[in-house]
Amino acid sequence: MGNLSSLQELYVSSNQLSGPIPREIGRLHKLIHLQLYFNQLSGPLPIEVNQLQNLQTLLVFTNRLSGFIPPELGTMRSLTSLYLGDNFFTGGLPHTFGNLTNLEYFEVRPNLLRGPVPRSLGKLKSLIYIDISKNRFSGVLPAEFANCTTLQWFKASNNTIFQRTNFQVFYLQNLLIVLHCSGSKPQITL
């Protein structure tokens, strides 16, 4: 696969593929779209994926991928869609994701992710949709989300995230759904 140096699009979703994603995929430098969803791929997401600097869509949801989400993905500034949901990723969201300034669609629901929601996500000024629900995120939702002025959908249910009483995200004019957080702290419901 690593020899397909002119390949720009790879769509192999819904094919019952199993085993790890080959590291050689990082040699497909012209790749723009990579869709591997609805398979049975397992193991970690290879760090070599970050070598795909032209990649705009990375869709690996509904597989059996595990381990930490590589922080190196934060160097992929061409990404507009990143769907990592319905896997077994652990650890936290990398702070480097704040560098994905062209990112419009981001989903990690559901996984086994934990810890605080990184403040750096507030730098994603092109973000339209984010779904971090059905994980184990905790703490205060960063006020920096108020900087995401294009945000229309934000889902964070089934976490233990709570709000600040004067949380500024309510002032985003385009926002359709904010969040419904479960846990012992106050919940926001629209």
Side-chain angles (χ1 to χ4, degrees):
M1 176 177 276
N3 295 328
L4 303 173
S5 57
S6 296
L7 191 66
Q8 294 184 354
E9 300 180 8
L10 180 59
Y11 303 103
V12 291
S13 56
S14 303
N15 278 296
Q16 298 183 358
L17 297 175
S18 60
I21 298 172
R23 298 181 130 177
E24 291 78 13
I25 207 158
R27 294 194 303 214
L28 306 178
H29 298 289
K30 293 187 179 179
L31 205 59
I32 297 171
H33 302 289
L34 177 58
Q35 298 186 8
L36 304 173
Y37 60 90
F38 286 127
N39 282 296
Q40 297 173 17
L41 298 170
S42 58
L45 185 61
I47 293 173
E48 290 80 4
V49 170
N50 82 314
Q51 297 171 19
L52 306 176
Q53 291 298 310
N54 294 317
L55 199 65
Q56 294 174 12
T57 57
L58 175 58
L59 309 180
V60 295
F61 62 90
T62 314
N63 277 289
R64 297 177 180 168
L65 299 173
S66 59
F68 293 108
I69 297 173
E72 291 83 0
L73 293 183
T75 65
M76 302 175 69
R77 296 180 189 252
S78 295
L79 274 180
T80 58
S81 299
L82 178 59
Y83 285 75
L84 305 172
D86 202 12
N87 281 293
F88 300 99
F89 289 116
T90 56
L93 279 180
H95 294 282
T96 57
F97 279 17
N99 298 326
L100 302 175
T101 53
N102 289 312
L103 196 63
E104 297 175 356
Y105 301 94
F106 178 54
E107 181 180 276
V108 290
R109 168 199 69 85
N111 274 291
L112 303 171
L113 299 170
R114 61 179 56 232
V117 177
R119 293 173 178 249
S120 63
L121 295 184
K123 296 178 186 177
L124 304 181
K125 299 195 176 170
S126 298
L127 201 59
I128 296 169
Y129 171 88
I130 182 170
D131 190 347
I132 61 170
S133 56
K134 297 185 180 178
N135 279 286
R136 298 173 184 168
F137 293 113
S138 59
V140 175
L141 188 64
E144 285 80 2
F145 270 101
N147 298 325
C148 301
T149 55
T150 57
L151 191 62
Q152 295 179 20
W153 296 87
F154 183 59
K155 299 180 182 181
S157 62
N158 296 94
N159 286 293
T160 52
I161 300 171
F162 60 97
Q163 78 194 44
R164 300 173 197 267
T165 54
N166 60 350
F167 189 52
Q168 301 162 350
V169 77
F170 289 114
Y171 300 110
L172 298 177
Q173 293 179 351
N174 296 325
L175 197 62
L176 299 176
I177 294 178
V178 179
L179 74 145
H180 179 272
C181 299
S182 61
S184 59
K185 301 291 182 181
Q187 300 179 7
I188 304 171
T189 308
L190 292 182

